[in-house]
Amino acid sequence: MGAHPAEPHEVSHRQVPHDLLATIELVAGGALKPRDRRLRAGVALGRPLAYALPRAAESPPTGDMTALLLCFPFDLEDMPAGCGYRRIELAVTFEDEHLRALDLQPGPGWVGPDGARVTAFGLGRNRLRWIFQAPDADGTLSPDGRWTQAVLASPAPFTQLSGRIQVRGVIEHPLLSGTRAEGEVQTRDDVPFQLSRADVWAGAPLGPRTSRPGAWALTGVADAAPADDPLPPGRRNLCLAVDIEKYSTRSNADMIRLQRALLRVMRAACERAAVDWDACGRQAQGDGYLLVLPPDTDDTRAVPRLLDGLAEALAAVNREQHGSDSQPQVRTRMRAALHHGIVHEGESGYAGSAVVELFRILDSDPLRAHLADDRATDLVVALHDRMYQDLVAQGYEGLSPVGFVRTEVRVKQFAGVAWIRSHAHAGPAPHDRTRAL
């Protein structure tokens, strides 16, 4: 099909074929120092393919298209021996804010032929994101053709569809020292695309949901297009929120340092819990952070390991920055809260009563007072009563009831019960993979 050509982003001076939207060099997000100075990472973006979807699978498409199937093919460029792609993220943003994604493929949990794991974000929104992750800690993605696709609904018939594509990733490469490191790469600019009605194929063949993309694995989805119901899907997730004590009293330089420390602590907690950081929903809030874990997370294992990971990483940060004899007023100290419930990915963040209750507990006076009163610890945690009853009261490993205090929490319209305790560093922090950025 013929989409209106965007200005090509070329890796070399070769002509961009007609079926390509652009060939892009992925530039380093920092100072990459690979052994091979000729190292280049790149991706070839195919022109988006658009198919009109009928209102019912057995009906022909009507002239007024309000549901489309879009496919975004792309190819990773080959890299020198010893180098590879650890992760690739394809993000698509549509200019029309009224568009809604009804289905994303590959979807969360999909595993490719090369073992790549996929996470997808953006259901119910006009901003979509797919992450392809290498199958294991030492593996890389095969540099071959990949695809993403989405079913889009609009409250009005499509006349023109435009947007932009961004690609980010992490590559692994050897260093001059002979060791290996990872570095972030990304497109220098977003790549624009535009489709008109003439570019849309009519009568797309629909097949079983388990089909490959050529069979358009979306039977019956178009018929369910809730153009008048913008509510994004809700999923049951484990949520972790943290907040830094007395952040607003610090200097500007200290605030930047604390934000970096916070991100490091959160990533380390996920690593300790064997939770894929890239599969989590994340919402930074300056002195705080919200982590929405994947729906298939095993709470019985993840919760104790997340808490241990927070404590270990926090202890490491304070040890490196202040030494073992630092005073509480200069150490980085945190409150943390955990809850589990239905979460929606909203326009400007995560929404749902579980998220609201989580932050009510995190901001509550009892939790703040517990951290202020216990100067021997740098982390206090609170579990919503329902999570405490499901996990701690059931005696799961690593979740002893010792030290937990039942507390009535009243913040604004919220009134409930939380279980609070100090959480001390219990062991050595895990070693991170060397990174060169």
Side-chain angles (χ1 to χ4, degrees):
M1 60 167 287
H4 295 291
E7 189 70 21
H9 296 232
E10 295 191 23
V11 175
S12 67
H13 295 293
R14 64 182 182 275
Q15 184 176 359
V16 178
H18 178 71
D19 61 345
L20 287 183
L21 178 68
T23 55
I24 316 163
E25 180 178 349
L26 300 177
V27 299
L32 281 173
K33 298 178 181 178
R35 183 172 56 199
D36 187 347
R37 294 292 181 179
R38 298 168 299 172
L39 174 63
R40 293 289 185 272
V43 61
L45 293 176
R47 296 187 184 279
L49 302 172
Y51 290 82
L53 295 180
R55 284 314 233 173
E58 66 276 5
S59 304
T62 65
D64 292 335
M65 295 178 295
T66 56
L68 288 180
L69 170 66
L70 260 68
C71 184
F72 298 91
F74 65 96
D75 290 276
L76 300 176
E77 288 203 338
D78 288 320
M79 297 182 68
C83 304
Y85 300 90
R86 292 280 302 140
R87 185 178 79 246
I88 285 292
E89 174 182 320
L90 182 81
V92 180
T93 301
F94 297 98
E95 301 296 339
D96 186 350
E97 296 183 354
H98 296 98
L99 290 178
R100 294 292 180 265
L102 303 181
D103 192 87
L104 301 177
Q105 296 291 329
W110 185 88
V111 178
D114 61 350
R117 294 175 288 113
V118 177
T119 306
F121 301 91
L123 279 175
R125 305 178 65 184
N126 70 323
R127 297 186 295 275
L128 315 178
R129 186 161 58 100
W130 289 267
I131 299 173
F132 294 78
Q133 183 76 37
D136 53 61
D138 299 318
T140 56
L141 298 170
S142 58
D144 54 12
R146 298 180 186 273
W147 57 274
T148 67
Q149 66 183 32
V151 169
L152 298 176
S154 170
F158 290 100
T159 56
Q160 181 174 288
L161 191 64
S162 59
R164 56 191 186 276
I165 300 173
Q166 182 187 59
V167 180
R168 303 171 62 91
V170 172
I171 61 173
E172 185 178 76
H173 58 89
L175 297 173
L176 293 173
S177 62
T179 59
R180 301 186 63 77
E182 292 180 356
E184 295 183 359
V185 292
Q186 62 187 30
T187 51
R188 190 182 305 275
D189 301 300
D190 293 353
V191 180
F193 66 90
Q194 188 177 84
L195 300 169
S196 70
R197 290 178 65 96
D199 298 319
V200 179
W201 291 78
L206 299 180
R209 289 186 63 82
T210 55
S211 302
R212 295 292 295 165
W216 313 118
L218 299 161
T219 299
V221 176
D223 192 39
D228 58 345
D229 182 10
L231 181 68
R235 293 187 172 86
R236 188 167 293 278
N237 299 82
L238 172 64
C239 300
L240 166 65
V242 300
D243 190 90
I244 299 173
E245 183 189 49
K246 296 182 178 179
Y247 175 86
S248 61
T249 65
R250 305 296 185 96
S251 68
N252 290 353
D254 275 348
M255 288 182 183
I256 298 299
R257 177 183 60 79
L258 288 171
Q259 288 188 17
R260 291 172 178 166
L262 175 61
L263 185 60
R264 171 184 168 183
V265 168
M266 296 299 286
R267 293 184 70 111
C270 282
E271 183 175 347
R272 174 65 184 268
V275 170
D276 185 353
W277 173 260
D278 294 305
C280 295
R282 305 187 298 274
Q283 186 171 309
Q285 297 178 271
D287 59 345
Y289 211 93
L290 170 65
L291 200 66
V292 180
L293 281 73
D296 59 352
T297 300
D298 181 348
D299 292 7
T300 64
R301 291 178 171 84
V303 170
R305 295 174 185 176
L306 283 170
L307 295 178
D308 287 343
L310 287 175
E312 290 171 0
L314 194 54
V317 165
N318 284 321
R319 187 167 53 250
E320 293 170 8
Q321 294 182 348
H322 307 297
S324 58
D325 298 327
S326 62
Q327 297 300 310
Q329 60 268 25
V330 299
R331 297 200 308 264
T332 302
R333 308 178 77 227
M334 292 182 182
R335 307 185 312 279
L338 289 127
H339 195 6
H340 196 162
I342 298 295
V343 178
H344 296 270
E345 185 182 359
E347 295 300 319
S348 60
Y350 290 91
S353 60
V355 176
V356 173
E357 293 175 2
L358 178 72
F359 278 100
R360 294 292 185 259
I361 292 172
L362 184 70
D363 295 334
S364 67
D365 289 339
L367 190 60
R368 291 177 180 274
H370 192 107
L371 181 61
D373 294 342
D374 189 353
R375 309 310 292 177
T377 189
D378 294 327
L379 176 67
V380 297
V381 300
L383 304 183
H384 188 279
D385 182 58
R386 187 162 63 247
M387 173 160 283
Y388 179 90
Q389 300 302 332
D390 287 345
L391 297 178
V392 180
Q394 296 299 321
Y396 285 106
E397 183 178 356
L399 288 171
S400 169
V402 175
F404 276 105
V405 177
R406 184 182 186 278
T407 307
E408 298 283 345
V409 174
R410 295 183 179 275
V411 181
K412 297 183 178 180
Q413 288 79 30
F414 173 74
V417 171
W419 294 79
I420 298 174
R421 81 170 182 191
S422 301
H423 198 91
H425 165 48
H431 295 289
D432 293 333
R433 177 191 290 264
T434 302
R435 291 182 179 270
L437 300 179

